[in-house]
Amino acid sequence: MIATRLRQIFLLLFSIGVGALAFVQMFQRTTGSFPREYLIMLGVVVALFLVLWGLTVRFQPYASQSIIPCVLLLTATGVTMIARIDQSLGKAAAMRQLMWLCLALVIVAPLIIFLKDYRVLRRFSYVSMVVGLVLLLSPMLPVLGQEVNGARIWVKLPGLGQFQPGEFAKLFLAFFFAAYLFDHRDQLAVGGKKVLGLQLPRIKDLGPIIVVWFASMGVLIMQHDLGTSLMFFAMFVAMLYVSTGRKSWIIIGLIAFAAGAVLAAGLFSHVGQRVDAWLHPFSAEEYNKPYGGSWQLVTGIFGLASGGLLGTGLGQGHPALTTFANSDFIYASLGEELGLVGLLAILMMYLIIIASGFITAMKVKDGFGKLLASGLVFTMAFQVFTVVGGITLVIPLTGLTLPYMAAGGSSLIANYILAALLVIISNAANAPEPELTSDTFQYEALAVLRDKELKARAKATEEIIRPRSASAVSSAAPGEPYESGETGEFGKPDAPESALSEAIEAIEEPHGSHAAHAAHASHTVPSTAHGARSADEPGYRPYRDEPLDDDEPIIDITKQDPSRFDIPEPSTRTASLPPVPPVPPVPPVPPIPTIPTVPATPTVPTAPTVPATPSAPTINGGDRA
């Protein structure tokens, strides 16, 4: 354990050292000195990271310790590049980013301390759904909602500035999707017809994906935000595939979203312009458009090309030429000064976090934890893919930000909460199994066995024989059949008369509670409500011509109208029963005759001449000496 802790603190200190070296190199090349305000702020951030690591070791001892160092290194690299761009533009976005980082660490620390069992989030599944939808649709409010660059995805609070609520909505919707799919995974896993070798789901199971598709299209239509709608729909489809294991859900999801995106590109100019800029980025018409053209995209591509393999070096490039270089296009800015090697190192750190999350999802034994971990990790991975793919012309630009690196407080805080949840789930996944000899394990084993025993008893009591009426029992004389060709207890062949006597004695006992009354009625009462003929009809022979329906449910008559049943009053119930036949006296057993005592045979003396010994009496053909 000591070696593991030393390795973990070494990874954390290595990440801090690389970030500090990047800051020193960048400021030395741009300003020639290290600003004092940055020195103080970076010291506070380092102290908070060390405290967070200590809390993780104390309260989440089995958590994956590779997540926090990678997140720290990504954040340090992003803040360094934001400060580099501030030197060219004369802004202070890096200081604000460091403040947001301190707030994110303060918010994450209580989660590490108090959220020891992530399964409590399942209790608030529908609350999470409501909160997520409210956050997702809050930019549509007339006063608070703000539209920036054609997309209405911001909310401005007086005195606090503006933030992007969709970043927090993805967390709450992930909680809801995980709980819902965990509860309904069996129904969604059932397949329908096969088409071209693909097992399609049933029509009635397509409801959830249709609802989420309409919600995603609503975000795309009302907010003109292709990235957020694509992220939510992809997250739900991915979690649906994890819960069911059916590839048909992925194909149906891709087809549904492609159809919606094509429809939105034709209806909304904002989405259509991004698609045109992606298809024809280097055409003069698209490049020279005053708004919605490909100028920003092409500038970022030129920056990536100028970086080459090793980059121009921190502080020696021109990343500020690209619009939104510190947020939407920060990956292009990093590519210009760090080169292809630096970009691959950044992608490798993302890959370590994603791999740790998926390994956690595979190792955790709880189904809700599997879905939640896979959904959170896929959300982050998909966000990285859409940002990098949009900058490198793989897909159209979506407007999403790169996690942990792009400027923006809401994105930074939401992604730090996501990393904290992965740490908490990984602690449950890596925790050792309880010892077989421990008291806790034995207690849990006994509890499981007790539950199984109770379920077995409950299942055995469900198979109750359909009751017979008291009139049917009373109409039959003792020893005569009251069922067609049957005698004995409740129509069972060859039942002894003592069973009937015991049943009558049980009926004659006083009924002191409703439970005893219900038990008595369950053995003595059928009713005409089940199709039985009345006893007043001529030629009536109870249950002679009326077969029983074993599948018909047993009705609790204590909760029904008493007028529906042919139940005699307690005072007359005993009078309607046949008299108990007297038990014949048992004949006395004759005494066993006493066996006469056999006299002992005298000892034969040893002499030359032996006189003849008289013969002993014979008992049962044998001699006894």
Side-chain angles (χ1 to χ4, degrees), residues 193-281:
K193 297 181 180 179
K194 266 193 174 184
V195 177
L196 299 177
L198 186 65
Q199 190 79 31
L200 298 179
R202 298 178 300 182
I203 300 297
K204 63 180 181 180
D205 295 332
L206 289 175
I209 196 170
I210 293 175
V211 171
V212 178
W213 183 82
F214 274 110
S216 302
M217 292 300 105
V219 172
L220 182 60
I221 292 171
M222 294 186 296
Q223 301 181 7
H224 301 170
D225 186 13
L226 178 63
T228 304
S229 61
L230 178 61
M231 181 179 63
F232 286 133
F233 188 77
M235 176 179 63
F236 179 75
V237 173
M239 296 175 70
L240 187 60
Y241 169 71
V242 172
S243 63
T244 60
R246 292 194 172 274
K247 300 178 181 179
S248 57
W249 287 114
I250 298 180
I251 298 176
I252 292 173
L254 291 176
I255 295 174
F257 191 84
V262 170
L263 181 62
L267 294 178
F268 306 104
S269 60
H270 176 72
V271 179
Q273 288 170 359
R274 289 190 175 184
V275 175
D276 294 337
W278 170 60
L279 294 175
H280 312 286

Side-chain angles (χ1 to χ4, degrees), residues 367-390:
F368 174 74
K370 289 180 182 293
L371 290 173
L372 182 59
S374 59
L376 294 175
V377 171
F378 179 82
T379 302
M380 188 183 69
F382 185 79
Q383 196 167 348
V384 173
F385 167 74
T386 53
V387 173
V388 176

Side-chain angles (χ1 to χ4, degrees), residues 269-302:
S269 60
H270 176 72
V271 179
Q273 288 170 359
R274 289 190 175 184
V275 175
D276 294 337
W278 170 60
L279 294 175
H280 312 286
F282 299 102
S283 65
E285 180 182 359
E286 292 293 331
Y287 185 82
N288 294 319
K289 277 185 178 181
Y291 177 78
S294 62
W295 178 83
Q296 181 185 9
L297 181 59
V298 172
T299 305
I301 295 174
F302 287 163

Side-chain angles (χ1 to χ4, degrees), residues 109-129:
L111 292 178
I112 298 294
I113 297 174
F114 298 108
L115 190 59
K116 297 182 180 180
D117 190 358
Y118 62 90
R119 290 175 292 183
V120 298
L121 299 173
R122 186 185 170 193
R123 303 176 185 175
F124 309 100
S125 59
Y126 288 98
V127 175
S128 301
M129 178 193 69

